[in-house]
Amino acid sequence: MRLRAPRSLAAQFALLHGVTALIAALMLPLGAVMLHRVAHHYQRDVLRQQAAGIATLLRDHSPAAAIEATDILAGGLTLSIVDARRRIVAQHGPSRPAMLAAVPLDRRARQMRRGALAAISLPAGGRWIVVSQDDSAPEVVADDIVDAFLARFALLLVPLIVLLPLTGVWLTRRLTRRMTAASDIAAAIGPRTLDRRLPHGTLPWEVEPLAAATNAALDRLEQAFAAQTAFAADVAHELRTPLATIRLRADAIPDPAVRAKLLAEVDRAARVITQLLVLAELERPIDGAHASVALSAVAEDVVADRAPALIAAGRRIALDDQGAPPLPGYAGAIRLALENLVDNAARYTPPGTRITVRVGPGHEISVVDDGPTIAPADLERMATRFWRAGTTRSEGFGLGLSIVQRVAAAHGGRLLIAAGPGGRGLGATLRFGRVPPL
């Protein structure tokens, strides 16, 4: 199984410091071995130099005089001169018969170690100079220094091994807190909050270029979004005058059928323009300049306005007010959304259908009809712009429900579509939520 590093930055730091601490802990015994080897190497050099000094003195002095004239280079030494039968010819220092009996007597210098004793034998004219040292002797400080250094180094290393991961985790938490704060700001940026930017000067140097590039991209996006919204509003305003002129000329057409058809198309175009203006207005954030919207009053106005035409077409419409508190937002946009829902219900249901506009409970408005049954698969796609279904409502809902969705989103809510009572007809609910903050 392939091992992978954790995706969490804090976990990666913790893993890195943990591995570092483990390596440091494993290196401590290796360091101790290396230090002892250095001490032993230094000891061998001292023994070799001591033996070479005695060999030089033997050229002009007797064995006893040579040992007597030798400068002692270290503590704990025994200087011996033995013959081929290992008999002591001259000696200075503690007697070590076991070492003299074991040390090799060859034609070249030889070294050996037995326990705490280290020795070197050097041939000198039919005799051998044996220099030995007892590491446990009080005078020998090399190993004591090494052991004392290792003990104090371990006392220093253990806290570092513990503090290093903790320090890394603490630094990582500080970093992730700043990154989380920047992420929260980025997550709150949307079409209505494009003026927000990531903080500058609080992120790590390595992340500042990313924040700067993101802010620059948001600047370009805000400019493009504002230009697109202004363009849509300008186009909608510019089209109103030609449409009014076309309507005046259409009224002069003598053929009633042609006149009625042309006026219906002009009204439809005017309605689309009105919807475009509402969409442009929705791009501006809701602030204190927008009065609270009384959903009951909006629903009552829409029902009263649409009732004559619906009754004349053989349909019925009713208002069911269950109470709704005031909602800060766009009264015109909410009215247009409700008109779209009522008009869709009237357009795609046969005569005799009952349409109910229900207000509440809470911040929601529903339009329910008992028209033809709609397939469940079609219900999920009804709000798709310009979608067409192979049902009685074959013309689809086009731009209408898409605008209703946008109105709901601008007020922190959503559009819910489901089957009507008893599985017949359609129920569309505008459920408003918390208005997004500035």
Side-chain angles (χ1 to χ4, degrees):
M1 183 177 63
R2 183 180 179 182
L3 298 178
R4 294 184 178 180
R7 295 182 59 184
S8 169
L9 185 61
Q12 291 183 16
F13 267 97
L15 179 61
L16 174 62
H17 290 304
V19 171
T20 304
L22 179 61
I23 292 175
L26 294 177
M27 290 295 291
L28 183 59
L30 179 61
V33 172
M34 293 180 65
L35 285 175
H36 279 292
R37 291 187 63 180
V38 170
H40 292 159
H41 179 74
Y42 170 75
Q43 184 185 50
R44 287 194 298 270
D45 286 343
V46 170
L47 297 180
R48 187 180 299 111
Q49 292 177 17
Q50 194 77 73
I54 297 174
T56 302
L57 291 173
L58 278 176
R59 297 172 185 170
D60 302 320
H61 298 78
S62 65
I67 290 181
E68 187 68 27
T70 300
D71 295 330
I72 305 300
L73 301 179
L77 291 179
T78 295
L79 310 180
S80 304
I81 299 177
V82 300
D83 59 16
R85 297 183 179 182
R86 300 182 185 271
R87 292 179 299 186
I88 298 175
V89 177
Q91 181 172 279
H92 173 79
S95 178
R96 294 167 182 163
M99 177 59 73
L100 293 178
V103 69
L105 303 178
D106 292 342
R107 295 182 178 180
R108 58 187 180 88
R110 296 291 299 272
Q111 300 170 3
M112 68 168 295
R113 173 174 288 275
R114 175 171 292 181
L117 292 176
I120 185 172
S121 63
L122 179 68
R127 299 183 181 92
W128 281 266
I129 303 168
V130 179
V131 181
S132 62
Q133 185 178 42
D134 187 357
D135 293 342
S136 61
E139 300 89 348
V140 181
V141 297
D143 278 354
D144 294 339
I145 293 175
V146 170
D147 294 337
F149 170 78
L150 290 175
R152 286 163 175 76
F153 183 71
L155 292 177
L156 177 65
L157 183 62
V158 170
L160 289 178
I161 292 175
V162 175
L163 290 177
L164 188 63
L166 295 179
T167 304
V169 171
W170 177 72
L171 292 175
T172 305
R173 286 180 62 85
R174 288 193 60 191
L175 171 63
T176 53
R177 277 199 298 267
R178 287 184 287 172
M179 295 296 293
T180 300
S183 300
D184 293 339
I185 295 175
I189 297 175
R192 294 161 50 79
T193 54
L194 281 176
D195 58 330
R196 297 187 179 182
R197 296 295 181 267
L198 298 182
H200 176 71
T202 61
L203 296 175
W205 285 108
E206 295 80 5
V207 186
E208 281 287 349
L210 176 61
T214 302
N215 288 338
L218 289 172
D219 290 338
R220 296 191 296 270
L221 183 61
E222 183 181 16
Q223 295 171 3
F225 205 78
Q228 181 182 5
T229 302
F231 176 76
D234 292 343
V235 169
H237 279 294
E238 291 295 329
L239 289 177
R240 279 188 165 184
T241 299
L243 283 176
T245 303
I246 293 173
R247 185 175 182 83
L248 289 175
R249 294 184 178 181
D251 286 334
I253 296 176
D255 189 336
V258 175
R259 183 174 63 250
K261 184 176 181 180
L262 183 58
L263 289 176
E265 293 298 327
V266 172
D267 291 341
R268 181 180 177 184
R271 184 174 180 81
V272 171
I273 292 174
T274 301
Q275 292 173 339
L276 288 176
L277 287 174
V278 170
L279 284 177
E281 181 186 13
L282 290 176
E283 305 306 333
R284 296 192 296 271
I286 298 174
D287 52 28
H290 296 83
S292 295
V293 180
L295 298 181
S296 299
V298 172
E300 184 177 347
D301 290 343
V302 172
V303 171
D305 182 65
R306 293 297 194 267
L310 289 173
I311 294 174
R315 297 173 180 84
R316 295 170 295 168
I317 187 170
L319 174 63
D320 179 13
D321 188 356
Q322 300 184 12
L327 174 73
Y330 308 96
I334 294 176
R335 178 187 177 93
L336 178 62
L338 183 57
E339 288 176 347
N340 273 333
L341 294 179
V342 173
D343 291 344
N344 283 332
R347 187 178 300 116
Y348 303 117
T349 57
T353 299
R354 177 183 177 88
I355 300 173
T356 302
V357 178
R358 181 179 299 114
V359 180
H363 288 155
E364 68 177 46
I365 300 179
S366 301
V367 177
V368 183
D369 65 69
D370 57 359
T373 302
I374 303 175
D378 294 339
L379 286 174
E380 299 178 359
R381 304 179 60 190
M382 280 222 166
T384 303
R385 189 176 300 178
F386 306 128
W387 176 74
R388 301 291 184 264
T391 65
T392 305
R393 307 183 186 215
S394 57
E395 296 182 14
F397 290 121
L399 189 62
L401 287 190
S402 177
I403 291 179
V404 174
Q405 284 182 320
R406 186 67 189 88
V407 172
H411 293 81
R414 55 178 178 158
L415 172 65
L416 304 177
I417 298 177
R424 289 184 54 81
L426 182 69
T429 301
L430 261 173
R431 181 169 296 167
F432 303 103
R434 180 178 61 85
V435 177
L438 296 179

